[in-house]
């Protein structure tokens, strides 16, 4: 359980196209080469502490002739951003992916005092 000390809560969300390999015959579409994509997401302002980040697939366009395999995650989460990561493996062919995300956490307040 993550306990939040602040009465000021912040929520930031986005929807990010991670790649579109179908148009360029890229590695995710051909099923060969790098099978991971990541992008650093920067928050519009820093959270007071490391927020909780939830990710979800909001669009996936995959070949119908292979098994659909996907792993979506938020990694390296800090007060100012995180890495949005998509992975696949095997013979899965992915044309394009868009990932929705939401960060929830404490915000700083002008009345906060850092004495030490």
């Amino acid at each position: 359980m993550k306990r939040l000390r602040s009465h000021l809560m912040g929520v930031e969300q986005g929807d990010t196209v991670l790649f579109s390999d179908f148009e360029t015959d890229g590695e995710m579409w051909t099923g060969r080469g790098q099978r991971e994509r990541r992008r650093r997401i920067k928050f519009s302002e820093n959270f007071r502490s490391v927020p909780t980040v939830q990710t979800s697939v909001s669009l996936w366009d995959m070949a119908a002739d292979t098994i659909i395999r996907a792993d979506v995650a938020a990694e390296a989460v800090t007060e100012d951003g995180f890495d949005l990561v998509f992975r696949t493996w095997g013979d899965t062919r992915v044309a394009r992916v868009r990932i929705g995300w939401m960060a929830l956490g404490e915000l700083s307040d002008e009345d906060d005092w850092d004495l030490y």
Side-chain angles (χ1 to χ4, degrees), residues 6 22 29 32 40 43 45 59 62-63 66 84 100 112 114:
S6 175
F22 177 77
W29 181 242
R32 295 182 307 274
R40 185 72 185 167
F43 300 130
E45 66 180 85
L59 174 131
M62 299 194 178
T66 62
L84 186 57
D112 289 343
D114 289 328

Side-chain angles (χ1 to χ4, degrees), residues 2-51:
K2 184 174 202 168
R3 293 183 181 266
L4 304 172
R5 302 177 299 153
S6 175
H7 66 279
L8 287 177
M9 298 294 299
V11 176
E12 186 161 351
Q13 62 186 28
D15 209 29
T16 304
V17 175
L18 223 47
F19 60 88
S20 184
D21 277 12
F22 177 77
E23 298 159 348
T24 60
D25 215 21
E27 296 170 332
M28 285 291 195
W29 181 242
T30 62
R32 295 182 307 274
Q34 180 65 31
R35 308 298 286 169
E36 175 183 291
R37 295 290 169 83
R38 61 179 56 230
R39 178 172 300 159
R40 185 72 185 167
I41 303 295
K42 300 290 274 177
F43 300 130
S44 61
E45 66 180 85
N46 286 4
F47 286 89
R48 179 179 183 178
S49 59
V50 175

Side-chain angles (χ1 to χ4, degrees), residues 60-116:
W60 64 1
D61 185 0
M62 299 194 178
D65 60 342
T66 62
I67 296 172
I68 297 172
R69 301 174 184 95
D71 176 30
V72 178
E75 295 181 354
V77 180
T78 64
E79 292 86 352
D80 67 344
F82 68 98
D83 291 341
L84 186 57
V85 182
F86 176 88
R87 293 181 186 93
T88 191
W89 57 95
D91 63 351
T92 300
R93 294 176 45 226
V94 186
R96 64 184 152 229
V97 167
R98 185 176 65 225
I99 306 297
W101 57 270
M102 181 171 47
L104 172 68
E106 297 177 302
L107 294 178
S108 294
D109 184 19
E110 61 187 33
D111 291 334
D112 289 343
W113 292 59
D114 289 328
L115 300 176
Y116 304 99

